């Protein structure tokens, strides 16, 4: 795709120096966040390999990138629900990583306070509650479908502290991970016996 190229040396210099003189000449998008910006955007500089350059905001939108809430590359404010959808997608794709409110605000080009408030209004829960719930859903699937240890499962869902993982899992589900796995195995065994008896 000719319109989805990496920045030239001059464009990259403009991006990392927040060069206002380059505004209107090109737009840049960051693949890992799904956001596109003006060169002068004050957000944290992205990694070079994640950047794509577009000649117009329409080209960036055509590739499903959303305008930055901070620098407003289209001149319009990104609707709150779109912004939160973008943050949610980022969490879903990066839940195994170290995620904090500051990290999410940084990658979504907003302030932690504003993100916390808008996320809760749109989703009905805070960003950190959403992260915890998403991680616990993934952990439950791994407990049911894999033979991984509790520690390994915690690690796979982004929680390296096993004691904290167990405590959080019990808080969210009412049982420990080990008990949850045991209940699932017990229920499945009961169903298999029942199916076997019905066949007979």
């Amino acid at each position: 795709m000719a319109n989805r190229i990496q920045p030239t040396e001059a464009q990259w210099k403009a991006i990392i120096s927040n060069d206002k003189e380059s505004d209107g000449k090109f737009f840049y998008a960051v693949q890992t966040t799904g956001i596109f910006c003006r060169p002068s955007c004050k957000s944290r500089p992205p990694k070079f390999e994640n950047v794509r350059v577009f000649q117009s905001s329409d080209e960036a939108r055509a590739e499903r990138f959303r305008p930055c809430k901070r620098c407003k590359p289209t001149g319009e404010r990104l609707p709150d629900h779109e912004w939160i959808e973008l943050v949610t997608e980022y969490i879903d794709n990066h839940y195994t990583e170290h995620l904090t409110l500051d990290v999410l605000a940084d990658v979504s080009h907003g302030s932690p306070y504003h993100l916390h408030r808008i996320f809760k209004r749109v989703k009905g829960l805070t960003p950190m509650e959403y992260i915890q719930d998403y991680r616990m859903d993934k952990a439950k699937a791994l407990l049911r479908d894999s033979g991984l240890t509790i520690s390994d499962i915690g690690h796979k869902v982004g929680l390296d502290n096993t004691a904290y993982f167990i405590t959080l899992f019990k808080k969210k589900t009412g049982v420990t991970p080990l008990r949850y796995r045991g209940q699932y195995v017990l229920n499945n065994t009961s169903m298999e016996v029942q199916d076997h008896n019905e066949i007979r």
Side-chain angles (χ1 to χ4, degrees):
M1 291 185 183
N3 65 336
R4 230 161 64 85
I5 57 173
Q6 286 192 313
T8 63
E9 191 176 333
Q11 287 171 332
W12 177 241
K13 189 176 179 183
I15 292 167
I16 59 175
S17 62
N18 312 122
D19 179 28
K20 284 190 176 182
E21 297 296 317
S22 296
D23 282 358
K25 294 177 182 175
F26 71 93
F27 298 86
Y28 76 92
V30 184
Q31 287 183 306
T32 49
T33 63
I35 294 173
F36 74 95
C37 302
R38 303 174 190 267
S40 65
C41 188
K42 297 289 187 184
S43 57
R44 186 177 63 169
K47 290 182 179 177
F48 179 83
E49 62 268 23
N50 294 330
V51 174
R52 293 292 177 269
V53 170
F54 298 93
Q55 297 308 307
S56 71
S57 60
D58 288 340
E59 286 180 0
R61 277 186 175 279
E63 292 285 338
R64 301 180 62 82
F65 287 104
R66 294 187 180 96
C68 172
K69 201 170 178 71
R70 183 177 290 167
C71 71
K72 302 181 181 68
T74 61
E76 301 168 355
R77 183 173 168 272
L78 180 68
D80 286 341
H81 70 276
E82 278 193 40
W83 186 44
I84 298 308
E85 185 183 329
L86 191 147
V87 176
T88 304
E89 285 175 8
Y90 186 86
I91 293 170
D92 293 354
N93 291 325
H94 297 266
Y95 70 93
T96 61
E97 299 171 15
H98 177 64
L99 295 179
T100 64
L101 192 58
D102 284 340
V103 167
L104 294 176
D106 203 23
V107 298
S108 64
H109 300 185
S111 74
Y113 170 78
H114 190 59
L115 173 58
H116 186 274
R117 188 168 59 85
I118 301 300
F119 196 101
K120 186 163 187 178
R121 180 162 62 75
V122 172
K123 287 285 191 184
L125 69 173
T126 68
M128 299 319 291
E129 287 169 342
Y130 179 86
I131 292 168
Q132 288 179 349
D133 288 350
Y134 194 82
R135 283 172 168 165
M136 293 308 100
D137 284 344
K138 292 292 184 182
K140 284 190 270 188
L142 287 169
L143 286 164
R144 292 192 304 264
D145 305 331
S146 81
L148 292 171
T149 65
I150 303 304
S151 176
D152 284 345
I153 289 172
H155 182 73
K156 274 197 172 291
V157 300
L159 298 170
D160 292 334
N161 184 322
T162 305
Y164 175 70
F165 166 56
I166 293 169
T167 301
L168 182 62
F169 190 93
K170 188 173 182 182
K171 179 184 172 187
K172 292 287 185 181
T173 66
V175 293
T176 64
L178 203 58
R179 175 67 65 85
Y180 180 88
R181 175 178 268 167
Q183 286 177 347
Y184 179 76
V185 170
L186 188 65
N187 288 343
N188 265 14
T189 304
S190 299
M191 286 173 66
E192 284 171 11
V193 170
Q194 186 177 343
D195 288 345
H196 181 69
N197 288 338
E198 285 176 1
I199 291 168
R200 290 177 65 194

PDB file of all heavy atoms in Angstrom, residues 103-114:
ATOM      1  N   VAL A 103      -0.326   4.341  31.891  1.00  0.00           N
ATOM      2  CA  VAL A 103       0.043   3.699  30.617  1.00  0.00           C
ATOM      3  C   VAL A 103      -1.097   3.855  29.614  1.00  0.00           C
ATOM      4  O   VAL A 103      -0.883   4.225  28.456  1.00  0.00           O
ATOM      5  CB  VAL A 103       0.369   2.199  30.833  1.00  0.00           C
ATOM      6  CG1 VAL A 103       0.446   1.469  29.498  1.00  0.00           C
ATOM      7  CG2 VAL A 103       1.684   2.040  31.595  1.00  0.00           C
ATOM      8  N   LEU A 104      -2.320   3.582  30.053  1.00  0.00           N
ATOM      9  CA  LEU A 104      -3.479   3.669  29.154  1.00  0.00           C
ATOM     10  C   LEU A 104      -3.714   5.101  28.688  1.00  0.00           C
ATOM     11  O   LEU A 104      -4.043   5.339  27.523  1.00  0.00           O
ATOM     12  CB  LEU A 104      -4.733   3.138  29.855  1.00  0.00           C
ATOM     13  CG  LEU A 104      -4.737   1.648  30.193  1.00  0.00           C
ATOM     14  CD1 LEU A 104      -5.995   1.287  30.979  1.00  0.00           C
ATOM     15  CD2 LEU A 104      -4.634   0.800  28.939  1.00  0.00           C
ATOM     16  N   ALA A 105      -3.546   6.058  29.594  1.00  0.00           N
ATOM     17  CA  ALA A 105      -3.717   7.466  29.226  1.00  0.00           C
ATOM     18  C   ALA A 105      -2.650   7.875  28.223  1.00  0.00           C
ATOM     19  O   ALA A 105      -2.918   8.610  27.267  1.00  0.00           O
ATOM     20  CB  ALA A 105      -3.643   8.340  30.476  1.00  0.00           C
ATOM     21  N   ASP A 106      -1.447   7.363  28.429  1.00  0.00           N
ATOM     22  CA  ASP A 106      -0.326   7.684  27.545  1.00  0.00           C
ATOM     23  C   ASP A 106      -0.576   7.170  26.127  1.00  0.00           C
ATOM     24  O   ASP A 106      -0.450   7.913  25.158  1.00  0.00           O
ATOM     25  CB  ASP A 106       0.950   7.065  28.121  1.00  0.00           C
ATOM     26  CG  ASP A 106       2.203   7.774  27.629  1.00  0.00           C
ATOM     27  OD1 ASP A 106       2.098   8.957  27.234  1.00  0.00           O
ATOM     28  OD2 ASP A 106       3.270   7.153  27.626  1.00  0.00           O
ATOM     29  N   VAL A 107      -0.957   5.903  26.019  1.00  0.00           N
ATOM     30  CA  VAL A 107      -1.143   5.324  24.677  1.00  0.00           C
ATOM     31  C   VAL A 107      -2.397   5.853  23.982  1.00  0.00           C
ATOM     32  O   VAL A 107      -2.484   5.830  22.751  1.00  0.00           O
ATOM     33  CB  VAL A 107      -1.189   3.771  24.701  1.00  0.00           C
ATOM     34  CG1 VAL A 107       0.105   3.196  25.222  1.00  0.00           C
ATOM     35  CG2 VAL A 107      -2.377   3.250  25.491  1.00  0.00           C
ATOM     36  N   SER A 108      -3.373   6.338  24.757  1.00  0.00           N
ATOM     37  CA  SER A 108      -4.607   6.849  24.147  1.00  0.00           C
ATOM     38  C   SER A 108      -4.614   8.371  24.045  1.00  0.00           C
ATOM     39  O   SER A 108      -5.617   8.964  23.647  1.00  0.00           O
ATOM     40  CB  SER A 108      -5.833   6.370  24.941  1.00  0.00           C
ATOM     41  OG  SER A 108      -5.823   6.913  26.253  1.00  0.00           O
ATOM     42  N   HIS A 109      -3.497   8.986  24.415  1.00  0.00           N
ATOM     43  CA  HIS A 109      -3.311  10.437  24.274  1.00  0.00           C
ATOM     44  C   HIS A 109      -4.341  11.247  25.065  1.00  0.00           C
ATOM     45  O   HIS A 109      -4.943  12.188  24.552  1.00  0.00           O
ATOM     46  CB  HIS A 109      -3.343  10.851  22.798  1.00  0.00           C
ATOM     47  CG  HIS A 109      -2.284  10.191  21.976  1.00  0.00           C
ATOM     48  ND1 HIS A 109      -2.066  10.492  20.651  1.00  0.00           N
ATOM     49  CD2 HIS A 109      -1.366   9.237  22.277  1.00  0.00           C
ATOM     50  CE1 HIS A 109      -1.073   9.753  20.182  1.00  0.00           C
ATOM     51  NE2 HIS A 109      -0.638   8.981  21.161  1.00  0.00           N
ATOM     52  N   GLY A 110      -4.535  10.864  26.308  1.00  0.00           N
ATOM     53  CA  GLY A 110      -5.436  11.611  27.185  1.00  0.00           C
ATOM     54  C   GLY A 110      -4.825  11.732  28.562  1.00  0.00           C
ATOM     55  O   GLY A 110      -3.710  11.269  28.797  1.00  0.00           O
ATOM     56  N   SER A 111      -5.541  12.342  29.494  1.00  0.00           N
ATOM     57  CA  SER A 111      -5.048  12.438  30.872  1.00  0.00           C
ATOM     58  C   SER A 111      -5.630  11.304  31.703  1.00  0.00           C
ATOM     59  O   SER A 111      -6.752  10.851  31.433  1.00  0.00           O
ATOM     60  CB  SER A 111      -5.452  13.779  31.492  1.00  0.00           C
ATOM     61  OG  SER A 111      -6.840  13.783  31.811  1.00  0.00           O
ATOM     62  N   PRO A 112      -4.874  10.810  32.703  1.00  0.00           N
ATOM     63  CA  PRO A 112      -5.384   9.712  33.540  1.00  0.00           C
ATOM     64  C   PRO A 112      -6.734  10.037  34.184  1.00  0.00           C
ATOM     65  O   PRO A 112      -7.639   9.205  34.197  1.00  0.00           O
ATOM     66  CB  PRO A 112      -4.286   9.543  34.600  1.00  0.00           C
ATOM     67  CG  PRO A 112      -3.042  10.043  33.943  1.00  0.00           C
ATOM     68  CD  PRO A 112      -3.496  11.178  33.061  1.00  0.00           C
ATOM     69  N   TYR A 113      -6.872  11.259  34.696  1.00  0.00           N
ATOM     70  CA  TYR A 113      -8.115  11.648  35.364  1.00  0.00           C
ATOM     71  C   TYR A 113      -9.293  11.596  34.392  1.00  0.00           C
ATOM     72  O   TYR A 113     -10.346  11.034  34.682  1.00  0.00           O
ATOM     73  CB  TYR A 113      -7.974  13.064  35.944  1.00  0.00           C
ATOM     74  CG  TYR A 113      -9.283  13.633  36.434  1.00  0.00           C
ATOM     75  CD1 TYR A 113      -9.823  13.232  37.655  1.00  0.00           C
ATOM     76  CD2 TYR A 113     -10.006  14.556  35.658  1.00  0.00           C
ATOM     77  CE1 TYR A 113     -11.039  13.732  38.101  1.00  0.00           C
ATOM     78  CE2 TYR A 113     -11.220  15.057  36.092  1.00  0.00           C
ATOM     79  CZ  TYR A 113     -11.728  14.645  37.311  1.00  0.00           C
ATOM     80  OH  TYR A 113     -12.929  15.137  37.739  1.00  0.00           O
ATOM     81  N   HIS A 114      -9.094  12.188  33.219  1.00  0.00           N
ATOM     82  CA  HIS A 114     -10.161  12.238  32.206  1.00  0.00           C
ATOM     83  C   HIS A 114     -10.511  10.831  31.731  1.00  0.00           C
ATOM     84  O   HIS A 114     -11.694  10.488  31.586  1.00  0.00           O
ATOM     85  CB  HIS A 114      -9.695  13.109  31.035  1.00  0.00           C
ATOM     86  CG  HIS A 114     -10.777  13.421  30.052  1.00  0.00           C
ATOM     87  ND1 HIS A 114     -11.943  14.080  30.404  1.00  0.00           N
ATOM     88  CD2 HIS A 114     -10.883  13.166  28.715  1.00  0.00           C
ATOM     89  CE1 HIS A 114     -12.710  14.219  29.340  1.00  0.00           C
ATOM     90  NE2 HIS A 114     -12.098  13.666  28.294  1.00  0.00           N
TER      91      HIS A 114
END
